[in-house]
Structure formats: structure tokens, C-alpha cells
Amino acid sequence: QVQLVESGGGLVQPGGSLRLSCVASGSISGINVMGWYRQAPGKQRELVATITSGNTAAYADSLKGRFTISRDWAKNTVYLQMNNLKPEDTAVYYCNATRHNLATRTRTDYWGRGTQVTVSS
């Protein structure tokens, strides 16, 4: 099994910054993609950003360049740098890891328990 543990959340003022971290452990071989999702109260979980094993990043259009995802594969860690935070960014942020098996045309997703980010004045 794969375990994901997020950290770095907290309460910040609008316009502030946070950096989230996610450390993977367990049976982590073959992980192809890692990413971040978020879920606000009463809303569906939504994609924030993903990064591939080749270090190619992709972002939700609504973020407009405020967030940056990065990774350190040697440390089995993925980061999310969040700048110019807005109240609408308030949510629980979840780390995700995906293993693709091309031979069987299947994928397996793993999730952390989440870290709370609150943006408020």
C-alpha cells in the first residue's frame, strides 16, 4: 500500500502564501503522476495541479499562475507553492499519487487525508 501525508496548511491572510508538502511512503514503486486536489465545504473535489515523472506540470485554468507544483522524487515528496491566496482558496487540500499499468490498461490512485487551508482576514 501507498501512504500519503500532507503538511503545511494553516490560516493565512488574503494575499499571503503557503507551501504544502506531501510525503509518500510504502509501496511507492511505479508511481507515474502526483498531484494536488482541493475540496471546499459543500463542493466537489477539484483538480489543482499535477506533475509527471518527467517533471511536466499542469494546472487548473482558474488558478491563473498563482500556484506552482514541484517534486523531489528522491525524497518521494511533492510540493504546492500557493501565492496571492484568496478567500475562495479555502479548502481541504489532498495529495494524490497515481500508478498507471499500461499492460493491463488500469490505474490505481492513492490519497492523503488532507490538510486544511483557510484564507481569511
Side-chain angles (χ1 to χ4, degrees), residues 2-6 21-25 28 30-37 47-59 69-80 94-100 107-112:
V2 173
Q3 294 81 46
L4 304 174
V5 180
E6 304 98 333
S21 299
C22 172
V23 179
S25 62
I28 57 177
I31 295 295
N32 304 106
V33 181
M34 296 187 71
W36 291 93
Y37 293 71
L47 172 70
V48 174
T50 61
I51 188 164
T52 70
S53 59
N55 209 28
T56 299
Y59 302 90
I69 189 171
S70 61
R71 91 297 185 274
D72 186 339
W73 294 109
K75 297 181 178 180
N76 300 312
T77 302
V78 64
Y79 306 94
L80 184 69
Y94 295 92
C95 182
N96 166 262
T98 301
R99 178 185 289 118
H100 293 94
R107 59 180 284 172
T108 304
D109 285 282
Y110 306 92
W111 297 91

